[in-house]
């Protein structure tokens, strides 16, 4: 098997631009690979960590349960509480949307729970982003998107009580 080649520190800025470009081209696996190479050079590079997390969430529709776990593993490496909450919410929101697209028997109920987790995280981000109005604004937009997604999809609702499912009401 071939060995990986290390990226030079001088190549990091251009590599990061390429990772962002590949995400825009809907090629998240390429973006993920580039971010991993950047993080080999600079393990704490915040933009590379965020792009890695986003590239992994871009792949949620593939249905791999490891991608959710891998995306969540990036969160503790983010320095700012705001970023941990905001991107934690984004992971939950993207998981919910992915579940809605799958349209499984209980996907609406599970998606609803993921949207609720997203809203909790976004509220934490709003609470921690008070000195940065633009970030609070972005978080507010994400919050509103989640609320509208729940409203737009009638099957995206809390799971009925077990008693109701059994016809005991």
């Amino acid at each position: 098997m071939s060995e990986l080649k290390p990226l030079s520190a001088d190549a990091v800025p251009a590599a990061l631009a390429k990772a962002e470009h590949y995400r825009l081209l809907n090629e998240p696996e390429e973006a993920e690979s580039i971010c991993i190479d950047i993080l080999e050079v600079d393990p704490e590079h915040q933009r590379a960590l965020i792009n890695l997390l986003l590239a992994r969430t871009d792949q949620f529709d593939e249905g791999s349960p490891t991608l959710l776990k891998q995306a969540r593993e990036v969160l503790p490496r983010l320095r700012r509480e705001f970023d941990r909450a905001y991107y934690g919410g984004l992971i939950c929101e993207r998981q919910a949307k992915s579940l809605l697209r799958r349209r499984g028997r209980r996907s609406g109920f599970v998606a609803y729970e993921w949207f609720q987790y997203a809203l909790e995280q976004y509220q934490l981000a709003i609470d921690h982003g008070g000195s940065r109005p633009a970030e609070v604004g972005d978080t507010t937009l994400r919050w509103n998107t989640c609320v509208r997604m729940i409203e737009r999809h009638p099957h995206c609702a809390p799971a009925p009580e077990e008693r109701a499912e059994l016809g005991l009401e």
Side-chain angles (χ1 to χ4, degrees):
M1 177 173 255
S2 301
E3 292 184 27
L4 297 172
K5 296 189 180 291
L7 185 67
S8 73
D10 293 339
V12 167
L16 185 60
K18 284 187 187 310
E20 291 168 350
H21 183 74
Y22 279 121
R23 281 201 60 244
L24 292 173
L25 292 174
N26 199 26
E27 296 183 5
E29 289 177 350
E30 289 81 353
E32 180 183 17
S33 178
I34 292 168
C35 290
I36 291 168
D37 288 336
I38 294 169
L39 294 167
E40 288 293 322
V41 175
D42 181 357
E44 300 303 314
H45 196 292
Q46 295 297 287
R47 280 186 56 202
L49 286 166
I50 289 168
N51 275 282
L52 175 64
L53 181 150
L54 294 172
R56 288 177 173 165
T57 64
D58 290 341
Q59 300 173 66
F60 279 178
D61 284 345
E62 294 175 9
S64 171
T66 60
L67 287 168
L68 174 62
K69 180 179 181 283
Q70 290 172 338
R72 293 182 72 150
E73 287 172 349
V74 176
L75 290 173
R77 296 174 65 187
L78 299 177
R79 288 186 196 120
R80 296 176 41 217
E81 286 184 59
F82 171 86
D83 289 336
R84 289 190 297 273
Y86 178 83
Y87 290 105
L90 197 72
I91 289 170
C92 296
E93 179 185 345
R94 289 183 171 192
Q95 176 68 3
K97 290 176 179 177
S98 177
L99 288 164
L100 284 178
R101 285 188 289 271
R102 289 186 208 156
R103 297 187 183 261
R105 189 171 82 82
R106 296 190 50 85
S107 63
F109 303 139
V110 179
Y112 177 84
E113 293 301 319
W114 280 104
F115 278 127
Q116 294 305 309
Y117 297 142
L119 292 173
E120 290 171 14
Q121 291 299 302
Y122 289 147
Q123 185 60 56
L124 286 173
I126 289 169
D127 294 345
H128 287 102
S131 63
R132 296 180 176 92
E135 290 179 335
V136 172
D138 288 346
T139 309
T140 300
L141 295 172
R142 299 265 33 113
W143 172 284
N144 291 345
T145 296
C146 289
V147 171
R148 288 185 180 110
M149 292 291 292
I150 293 168
E151 291 172 350
R152 187 176 301 136
H153 294 85
H155 63 283
C156 184
E161 298 280 333
E162 187 174 329
R163 294 174 53 85
E165 280 186 39
L166 298 174
L168 299 175
E169 285 192 40

